[in-house]
Amino acid sequence: MSKIRSYLKQVSMVMAVMLAFATTFSTSAQARMVGTAEIIQQQQASVDRQQLMSMLDKQEVQDKLAQMGVSKDRVAERIQNLTPAELADFNQQLAEAPAGEGVVGIIVLFLLVFIITDMLCATNVFSFVHCVR
């Protein structure tokens, strides 16, 4: 009987240590409701980015960017760094632009975004634009 008690005492000590170890290093999970609007906004931002990236694949856009001294990779990087609100504004401006402007309007819009981000010290694309700060 004493052997069983000593054995149970050892097992209970091991179990207590394991329980303490498990609760010390465990992480807590947090659950929350995700609204439909939030999911739609995330999906729309992804679609907007894809549309802008597909515009960069057009040869005439690449030629115009090359004429202005801006690389395609730099523009693609900026598109990936746009916030969902900036993407929505950008796509709204593209939708409202007259159909005749086409590529030139898109490129001018890209340049305006780059100039504004240069002025805010977020990028350094153009050497002639100086930081406001």
Side-chain angles (χ1 to χ4, degrees), residues 68-131:
M68 296 180 171
V70 180
S71 71
K72 176 186 171 188
D73 295 333
R74 185 77 173 202
V75 174
E77 179 184 335
R78 283 297 301 146
I79 290 172
Q80 292 301 327
N81 292 333
L82 289 175
T83 64
E86 291 171 334
L87 274 172
D89 289 342
F90 192 75
N91 278 329
Q92 182 180 3
Q93 290 176 3
L94 283 177
E96 292 174 355
E101 290 183 14
V103 175
V104 176
I106 293 170
I107 292 173
V108 168
L109 191 57
F110 273 121
L111 292 175
L112 287 175
V113 168
F114 288 139
I115 289 171
I116 291 170
T117 56
D118 277 359
M119 289 172 63
L120 296 174
C121 306
T123 61
N124 189 15
V125 177
F126 301 113
S127 59
F128 61 87
V129 177
H130 300 289
C131 185

Side-chain angles (χ1 to χ4, degrees), residues 35-59:
T36 305
E38 188 176 333
I39 291 175
I40 289 173
Q41 183 181 15
Q42 290 173 354
Q43 292 297 322
Q44 186 63 41
S46 176
V47 169
D48 291 345
R49 270 195 186 87
Q50 287 301 99
Q51 287 175 343
L52 290 175
M53 295 301 281
S54 68
M55 285 181 193
L56 283 179
D57 292 335
K58 294 180 182 177
Q59 187 61 39

